[in-house]
Structures are given as C-alpha cells and as structure tokens.
Amino acid sequence: MLLEDIQLQPLQKIELLDPWSRKVSGTASRSLLAGAMILHFDHTALVCTSPLRFMRCQSGTTIAKPDGIGMASLGYRITLTKPEECPQWHPAGLCKEVIRPTQWLAGTIQDRSAVHVLLHAGLDQQREGAWALKLRFVGGSYCLTWRPDLDGCIEFAPARQQHTIDSITVSSPTEAFGWLHPAYQHPFVVDESCWHSAKISDWPWPLRKALQSHHEPERFYRETLSRALGARYRQTPSLRQRLLALRYPVQINDVPDGLIQEVAAALRKDSLAGLAR
C-alpha cells in the first residue's frame, strides 16, 4: 500500500458508515466516529473498516514502523481504491452520513471554503502503544484511530483530541450502543418462536400474559429477558463480539442492573467451553 498515492490531493468528502451518535459527528474540533469510514480524495479513496463491526476484516492492516524496525498494526483495515468503486463498501441497509471537509476540518483553518490538501500521511503512536494513521492537512493534523473501547469505531479526530467516556448509558435503540437495548430490532429465535426484538410488546402472547399474572413479575421479567438477550447474541456473531468487547460500566433502560454482564459472562463461558472441546 502506497500512502504517497493520496498526498497532495484535496479531500472532497468523508463518508461515515454505521456512524456514532449525531451529537458527536459533524462538529468542528470533535471526533468523527463510525464502524467504517471512506475519505474521498480527488483520484483515490481511503477506506477504513473496523474488525469488530465487519467480520470479513478480522485483523488490522500492518505497516512498517517509521524507524524501519518492525511492523505496526493499525487495529483497523485500510484499503486504497478508486472513488467510483466505493459503492461496493456500502452494505445494504447500513446507515450512512456524508461530511463535507468545510463542515469539520475547517476548525483550524481560516478559510472555511477552502479545499483541504493532504500534505503528508504517516504513522503516529497513540496511548497504550496503539498506532494510528496521521494525516497532515493545510492547517492541522488529524488521526485515524481504531477505538475498540468505543464499540469498535474508527475515529477521525484532531491529533491528541480523542473522544473519551467513562461509562455507557443507553436510553433507546437509536443511540450509540443502541444494539444493547431490548427494543433494538434484530430477529432471533426462542423456543421455535421468532422475536423481532426483546421488548415486552414483541414477546409471544403467552409470555406477556404470564408476566401480567405472575406472583413475582420482576423475577419473571428478568429471567425471560435474559433468555431473549442470550438468544440474540448467540445467534448474531457480529453483535456477540461487540458485547464481549465492552470495557465500561453499562446502564440500559428496561434492563435490570447486572443482567447484560450476566449474559456476557455466559457467552464467554460458552466460548471457553467450545475451545476446550
């Protein structure tokens, strides 16, 4: 891969595939976060994909270190392609957001109507020994970093200005980490019945009726939701690996305290049992 191929080319647009919350993306001096990202230059497009979000990319791209001694893994996968070939990187049904350079990169540039030319592309060592792709434009440097702690996103941010969190709170399925919410729409099967989601209104009628008349409704709700969420993650490998990658305390509306951790622990136990066979 020759990163020199994109140098001295103006950046035309940035495509975010499976983007993070809108509150984060598209704002000057703040991070862009997405499961995949495509930077469109004049004659070349730089495609970045997360191994946690896209299972076809199980390992990050490895590049020689700047000192020439050893190799560095970016954690995510990068591919150089022609702009006209980019539609093949857009999986059907995946949310997409387009960011114009003047919306975002202009945070450190006086002329907000300017086209931002890429002066240099190289490697930059981040915290915890991780490596990132560092892009130096007219007016400032920006890093493309893999963030396994932020739901496996790829982050495009001003150098040394990464987005940080210390806990995860999920109020609805449309937010960041919304796939943890019971109402997240992703079909799964429990006892030969197909559920569209794990929210109560999507439970089979006998279970909803049993919940209404049960002498310990909270316990019944917790046990049923545990079975439903366990089935969702066991039957959806992409969501299972995202669940097992969680690194922060989690609080989810309509999910009893500690339940998502119990589901994750059961999945880890299943994985270890499978490896032991």
Side-chain angles (χ1 to χ4, degrees):
M1 176 177 301
L2 299 176
L3 291 176
E4 292 83 357
D5 291 348
I6 61 175
Q7 290 175 187
L8 300 181
Q9 291 190 43
L11 180 62
Q12 301 296 344
K13 66 179 179 179
I14 307 164
E15 286 186 278
L16 307 180
L17 307 180
D18 199 9
W20 188 269
S21 167
R22 286 181 173 274
K23 294 180 181 179
V24 174
S25 57
T27 305
S29 78
R30 299 182 68 181
S31 298
L32 300 179
L33 291 155
M37 198 173 295
I38 305 176
L39 276 63
H40 289 258
F41 296 93
D42 258 3
H43 310 296
T44 311
L46 178 64
V47 182
C48 309
T49 49
S50 165
L52 192 61
R53 300 290 193 92
F54 300 92
M55 298 190 70
R56 62 183 178 183
C57 305
Q58 286 298 293
S59 60
T61 296
T62 300
I63 299 179
K65 292 181 180 179
D67 59 9
I69 302 174
M71 305 293 287
S73 174
L74 296 175
Y76 58 92
R77 193 129 196 109
I78 59 175
T79 304
L80 289 177
T81 187
K82 296 178 180 179
E84 59 268 23
E85 295 176 354
C86 286
Q88 67 178 312
W89 295 93
H90 299 170
L94 197 64
C95 182
K96 181 177 78 171
E97 184 177 353
V98 177
I99 303 294
R100 297 293 172 184
T102 50
Q103 287 180 258
W104 185 71
L105 287 177
T108 57
I109 298 173
Q110 295 298 320
D111 184 1
R112 297 183 66 88
S113 65
V115 175
H116 310 293
V117 177
L118 179 66
L119 299 179
H120 178 73
L123 291 178
D124 186 58
Q125 192 161 22
Q126 305 286 297
R127 58 184 181 179
E128 301 177 357
W131 288 83
L133 189 61
K134 188 174 184 178
L135 308 178
R136 184 161 65 88
F137 293 89
V138 174
S141 293
Y142 298 80
C143 287
L144 280 163
T145 310
W146 188 47
R147 298 296 304 273
D149 59 321
L150 296 184
D151 202 15
C153 280
I154 295 165
E155 180 177 35
F156 192 26
R160 309 300 178 188
Q161 295 185 34
Q162 291 186 328
H163 186 68
T164 59
I165 63 174
D166 53 20
S167 63
I168 299 167
T169 301
V170 183
S171 301
S172 78
T174 61
E175 301 175 355
F177 292 99
W179 51 271
L180 291 166
H181 197 278
Y184 181 73
Q185 294 285 314
H186 196 96
F188 55 90
V189 176
V190 178
D191 295 335
E192 299 184 354
S193 294
C194 182
W195 298 32
H196 295 290
S197 80
K199 66 179 180 179
I200 293 178
S201 60
D202 281 336
W203 291 13
W205 167 242
L207 287 177
R208 282 183 281 157
K209 185 176 181 181
L211 176 63
Q212 294 173 354
S213 60
H214 203 278
H215 64 288
E216 293 183 273
E218 291 183 359
R219 182 174 67 83
F220 184 81
Y221 175 77
R222 185 185 183 100
E223 291 175 351
T224 304
L225 187 61
S226 177
R227 290 174 58 216
L229 294 178
R232 171 198 282 174
Y233 297 118
R234 284 187 176 89
Q235 295 167 28
T236 314
S238 59
L239 294 182
R240 181 175 66 243
Q241 64 182 10
R242 290 166 74 176
L243 174 64
L244 296 180
L246 291 179
R247 300 189 182 183
Y248 299 102
V250 182
Q251 189 170 35
I252 311 164
N253 277 13
D254 301 325
V255 177
D257 290 344
L259 178 58
I260 199 68
Q261 290 83 357
E262 292 175 8
V263 172
L267 292 173
R268 288 192 184 94
K269 185 177 179 180
D270 290 350
S271 297
L272 291 174
L275 292 173
R277 290 172 187 164

